[in-house]
Amino acid sequence: MKLHRYSFRSPDGVPSGSSMGRSRMSFLQQAEQSLDTERMFDADTKAMGYLPNYTRLFAQSPAVYLAWQQLNGAVKAGMELRRYELATLAAARALKSSYCGLAHGKVLRDKFFDAPTVAAIASDHGGAGLSEQEVAVVDFAGKVAADANSVTEADVAGLRDHGLDDTDIFHVILAVGARCFFSTVLSAAGAEPDPQYNESLDVDLRQALSFGG
């Protein structure tokens, strides 16, 4: 396979890893391209319509990225997409991950709600018109992400009272655990949200989904 010459430039036009300072894509210099990174870049560019900054970051370890995709795919397959996205957004908010907030807020807007509703969910989910069950899920997911050791048996019982069985509850926990991994990696490496969100989300929604990290 012949490697493409991907150009890695930050939004301000500075080449990644240049002598002018680190790229705004992350704190780390861009990994050297290989057949594995080429496959990653091609697959995600095809899926997203552009090459996300998180894909460029995970070029540091393609095997871990593949394992993450398999894990997250299995988690998503075990629950309703709407519940997965709400739990994931709650985790992103608790983790102060703007990158994941923007990404999953966009999914919620595209597939389930209008933009003002997603903005309301991001800021005050209890008053955003969600069902009582969904509010309980978001509450629980946020607590798991913020401090898993603070979760009690009563919290789990509360979800049962809202109609979730133990498999449902476990998958909410899995969704949050998976997000804790991904958001932590992006935040610690300084991965910048893709500039495409400036075009695909209106300013009010971007502000509501920008949680600070």
Side-chain angles (χ1 to χ4, degrees):
M1 176 184 289
K2 182 180 180 180
L3 296 181
H4 296 167
R5 294 184 177 274
Y6 280 91
S7 175
F8 300 104
R9 290 182 177 271
S10 66
D12 59 8
V14 178
S16 175
S18 76
S19 61
M20 295 177 66
R22 73 169 189 268
S23 166
R24 290 187 63 238
M25 290 185 294
S26 79
F27 299 147
L28 306 180
Q29 293 185 357
Q30 177 62 43
E32 292 295 326
Q33 282 187 248
S34 66
L35 291 177
D36 288 336
T37 62
E38 178 80 2
R39 294 187 188 99
M40 288 172 56
F41 296 159
D42 285 349
D44 282 8
T45 299
K46 182 178 180 180
M48 299 290 292
Y50 63 92
L51 183 61
N53 287 341
Y54 63 76
T55 310
R56 297 172 178 178
L57 174 63
F58 271 92
Q60 300 286 350
S61 184
V64 171
Y65 187 56
L66 177 60
W68 152 255
Q69 289 180 311
Q70 293 172 335
L71 170 64
N72 199 51
V75 172
K76 288 177 69 175
M79 58 195 304
E80 297 175 354
L81 180 60
R82 176 162 160 155
R83 181 180 294 163
Y84 167 83
E85 293 296 342
L86 286 170
T88 299
L89 185 65
R93 180 172 64 185
L95 296 164
K96 298 182 180 179
S97 172
S98 293
Y99 202 148
C100 291
L102 291 163
H104 292 274
K106 182 178 184 299
V107 175
L108 286 168
R109 186 210 62 182
D110 291 348
K111 294 184 178 294
F112 301 108
F113 305 101
D114 59 22
T117 301
V118 176
I121 293 168
S123 59
D124 179 18
H125 62 277
L130 298 177
S131 69
E132 291 184 2
Q133 183 188 84
E134 288 175 331
V135 171
V137 167
V138 173
D139 285 341
F140 181 79
K143 187 172 186 178
V144 173
D147 184 4
N149 286 322
S150 72
V151 175
T152 66
E153 190 170 358
D155 294 319
V156 173
L159 289 183
R160 291 194 191 106
D161 290 342
H162 283 93
L164 277 72
D165 63 25
D166 282 16
T167 300
D168 295 330
I169 296 167
F170 186 60
H171 274 89
V172 173
I173 294 170
L174 288 175
V176 176
R179 189 53 38 190
C180 287
F181 164 76
F182 201 69
S183 293
T184 298
V185 170
L186 299 190
S187 294
E192 291 284 337
D194 304 320
Q196 284 78 8
Y197 292 120
N198 293 331
E199 301 172 0
S200 60
L201 300 174
D202 65 63
V203 62
D204 290 339
L205 186 54
R206 290 202 311 273
Q207 290 176 349
L209 297 171
S210 295
F211 298 132

